[in-house]
Amino acid sequence: MEFDPAERPVDPSRNPPRYPVDHVGIAVRSIEESAPLFEILTGERASPRQSLPEHGIDVCFIGSVELLEPHDRGGAVGRFLQAGGSRLHHVAFRVENVRGELDRLVAAGFRSIDRAPRPGAHGGLVAFLHPRGTGGALVELVEPARPLSAP
Amino acid sequence: MEFDPAERPVDPSRNPPRYPVDHVGIAVRSIEESAPLFEILTGERASPRQSLPEHGIDVCFIGSVELLEPHDRGGAVGRFLQAGGSRLHHVAFRVENVRGELDRLVAAGFRSIDRAPRPGAHGGLVAFLHPRGTGGALVELVEPARPLSAP
């Protein structure tokens, strides 16, 4: 049965979110194999591969997708892959003040993985919340290097 | 060690993505339990719970997050929860023409779950891509009910 777009109701409650999604992290076995798929999917070009030795991973951004490839099986992302193959790993929300948000959320009972914000892959500041406090999702807060109001 | 934000490099390649993330779906055992957590996290109010009997789930939006609670253990989301508890379920990208994008991606070798776009939770048109073709992530394409250029 065809669906008539003219009949689609518009939900007036859908304003732009205060916590927009900055990107979604996907754990993969191979950036080299997966990046071309997401280039086709999104029409975006993959960024150069970036090594984050302190996390034991290489990362690559394709638009709103971050691919995470572990250096070995022992790190957090390596163990995540061992447990269930390539899949969604985390969701990152864009915030204006990551330090303030982290304080607010810890005070509200959320469990932080990072005690203080730290540099992220794109030059922003980031902090992670533990899945145990969010109902199962690994959540990253990202304060971009550019002001949100920049053109 | 403190990190000086003034030293953060700005990545000039980070333009707004062509395929922005519309929302992230999280499978949960109980919307009633999980929604308040995401209300605190995002500062958004949860939408009224919506039943999608054809998918065997109830859904609820909190900003950019969609919570999915299965009606029973037998459906797709119910089986997903059984396999690994509450966790990220899918990522949805916003597109202007879901039918055209679905055709383009299937022609490029992606595997669609939906043969044609169908009505989504917010009155938009949606279509899902199978994780097998995306390297492990369940991907939804969303054409919002409102034009992207609307105020």
Side-chain angles (χ1 to χ4, degrees):
Chain A
M1 191 182 76
E2 282 293 298
F3 180 72
D4 180 359
E7 289 178 6
R8 284 184 274 164
V10 171
D11 183 342
S13 71
R14 292 216 80 190
N15 296 317
R18 287 183 48 208
Y19 250 57
V21 173
D22 184 82
H23 66 269
V24 172
I26 301 177
V28 298
R29 296 194 191 282
S30 163
I31 284 176
E32 190 179 350
E33 283 179 19
S34 293
L37 294 174
F38 285 95
E39 287 190 318
I40 297 169
L41 176 58
T42 64
E44 306 275 349
R45 285 196 55 192
S47 70
R49 171 192 288 257
Q50 182 181 358
S51 184
L52 302 175
E54 68 276 25
H55 299 290
I57 55 173
D58 278 11
V59 299
C60 166
F61 279 85
I62 305 106
S64 300
V65 170
E66 178 185 23
L67 300 180
L68 306 94
E69 177 192 311
H71 294 169
D72 56 54
R73 295 178 176 189
V77 177
R79 293 196 306 272
F80 183 86
L81 270 180
Q82 291 289 110
S86 294
R87 56 200 163 102
L88 294 174
H89 178 263
H90 67 265
V91 53
F93 295 102
R94 197 177 311 144
V95 300
E96 292 197 47
N97 177 350
V98 69
R99 190 179 302 268
E101 284 300 297
L102 193 62
D103 289 348
R104 179 180 74 83
L105 293 167
V106 168
F110 287 83
R111 190 171 152 183
S112 68
I113 292 176
D114 300 298
R115 294 178 61 179
R118 56 185 175 75
H122 270 301
L125 282 174
V126 306
F128 279 87
L129 300 177
H130 197 283
R132 206 167 296 172
T134 67
L138 178 59
V139 169
E140 180 182 8
L141 306 174
V142 179
E143 181 184 328
R146 288 178 299 182
L148 287 175
S149 57
Chain B
M1 190 183 75
E2 282 293 298
F3 179 72
D4 181 358
E7 290 178 7
R8 285 185 274 164
V10 172
D11 183 342
S13 72
R14 290 216 82 188
N15 296 318
R18 286 183 49 208
Y19 250 57
V21 174
D22 184 82
H23 66 269
V24 172
I26 302 177
V28 298
R29 297 193 191 283
S30 164
I31 285 175
E32 191 179 348
E33 283 178 19
S34 292
L37 295 174
F38 285 95
E39 287 190 319
I40 297 169
L41 177 56
T42 65
E44 308 273 350
R45 282 196 57 191
S47 70
R49 169 193 290 255
Q50 184 179 358
S51 183
L52 301 175
E54 68 276 24
H55 299 290
I57 55 173
D58 278 10
V59 299
C60 166
F61 280 85
I62 304 105
S64 300
V65 170
E66 178 185 23
L67 299 180
L68 306 94
E69 177 192 310
H71 294 169
D72 56 53
R73 295 178 175 189
V77 177
R79 294 196 307 272
F80 183 87
L81 269 179
Q82 291 289 111
S86 293
R87 57 201 162 102
L88 294 174
H89 178 263
H90 67 264
V91 53
F93 295 104
R94 197 177 310 145
V95 300
E96 292 197 49
N97 177 351
V98 68
R99 190 180 302 268
E101 285 301 297
L102 193 62
D103 289 347
R104 179 180 74 82
L105 293 167
V106 168
F110 286 84
R111 188 170 152 183
S112 67
I113 292 175
D114 299 298
R115 295 178 61 180
R118 56 184 176 75
H122 270 303
L125 282 174
V126 307
F128 280 87
L129 301 176
H130 197 284
R132 206 167 295 169
T134 67
L138 178 59
V139 169
E140 181 182 8
L141 306 174
V142 179
E143 179 185 330
R146 288 180 299 184
L148 288 174
S149 56

